Amino acid sequence: MRTRTLLALAGAATALTVAAAVPSSAAGGAVLTTGGTGGTAAAVGDTLTAPLAAGTSATLYSSATGTSGVSCKTSQFTAKVTNNPAAPGTATESVTGHTFDPSSCTSNVAGVLGVSSIVIDNLPYTATVTSAGVLSVTPPSGSTIQTTVKLSTLLGTVTCVYRAPGLTGTAANGDSSISFTNQQFTKFSGSSLCFANGYFTAKYAPVTDAGARVYVN
């Protein structure tokens, strides 16, 4: 359940790296820019980071329409630009980090007292962002996007492992954000306190490159 922390995906998530709300196609410009649409191209090797959008939480609920599960107020992803072609096109990033602060997480599941840890496994992931603002996160070949969540319960520590083949999100230039809505994870292992499915929702903003907001073109 804490697995909602993902995020990642991951992170992430996970996570996943740029913003574009009604992205614009800047002919001759790069897909990812700073300073505004059509601005300075983000260089290959640049590190992009983003926290949760102010006033929001990352959630992992037991159903797409429910409110039972885990909620975290502090999470961040980190990704490195690996390809940033001319727009319109598709930029590529390597998601190297997707973290959640367990002290910011709460659960309304009966029998769960708190979250001990949340770890995004199998990093790095590959993230792609199109000029249309479509964000996709995929794991290494032969692997999965995986989150291991350790929960404190009345009976001790319970470990829940959740997996997903990939994540799909959207990027928006209005607030340089990336959003994931009801991304489904399936329980791979864990006790009955771990949901059979986890639906991950989170919004990260602003995505920045050395402090400058990132835009999608």
Side-chain angles (χ1 to χ4, degrees):
M1 6 192 261
R2 299 308 170 132
T3 166
R4 68 172 299 136
T5 300
L6 267 172
L7 120 52
L9 287 252
T14 20
L16 311 172
T17 286
V18 190
V22 188
S24 61
S25 261
V31 174
L32 304 179
T33 60
T34 60
T37 55
T40 303
V44 170
D46 281 4
T47 297
L48 309 182
T49 61
L52 286 175
T56 70
S57 297
T59 59
L60 186 68
Y61 290 149
S62 58
S63 70
T65 58
T67 58
S68 175
V70 177
S71 178
C72 297
K73 294 182 178 180
T74 302
S75 176
Q76 177 172 297
F77 76 79
T78 303
K80 180 178 292 186
V81 178
T82 55
N83 187 35
N84 188 19
T90 300
T92 307
E93 304 157 10
S94 176
V95 181
T96 56
H98 192 183
T99 61
F100 295 83
D101 179 0
S103 68
S104 76
C105 301
T106 59
S107 174
N108 58 0
V109 177
V112 175
L113 304 177
V115 181
S116 299
S117 67
I118 297 170
V119 177
I120 306 304
D121 305 308
N122 304 332
L123 291 171
Y125 299 142
T126 296
T128 59
V129 184
T130 72
S131 291
V134 178
L135 171 66
S136 299
V137 182
T138 56
S141 177
S143 183
T144 62
I145 291 179
Q146 177 174 297
T147 297
T148 300
V149 180
K150 292 188 176 182
L151 308 174
S152 298
T153 76
L154 295 172
L155 301 177
T157 301
V158 170
T159 299
C160 304
V161 177
Y162 290 83
R163 290 180 172 178
L167 300 175
T168 300
T170 57
N173 284 335
D175 53 2
S176 291
S177 67
I178 55 173
S179 301
F180 299 92
T181 303
N182 289 330
Q183 296 298 289
Q184 183 176 1
F185 286 81
T186 301
K187 183 176 76 173
F188 174 72
S189 64
S191 77
S192 59
L193 288 176
C194 306
F195 304 141
N197 293 287
Y199 292 83
F200 175 69
T201 297
K203 179 178 181 179
Y204 291 85
V207 179
T208 59
D209 179 352
R213 282 175 51 171
V214 178
Y215 297 82
V216 176
N217 301 269

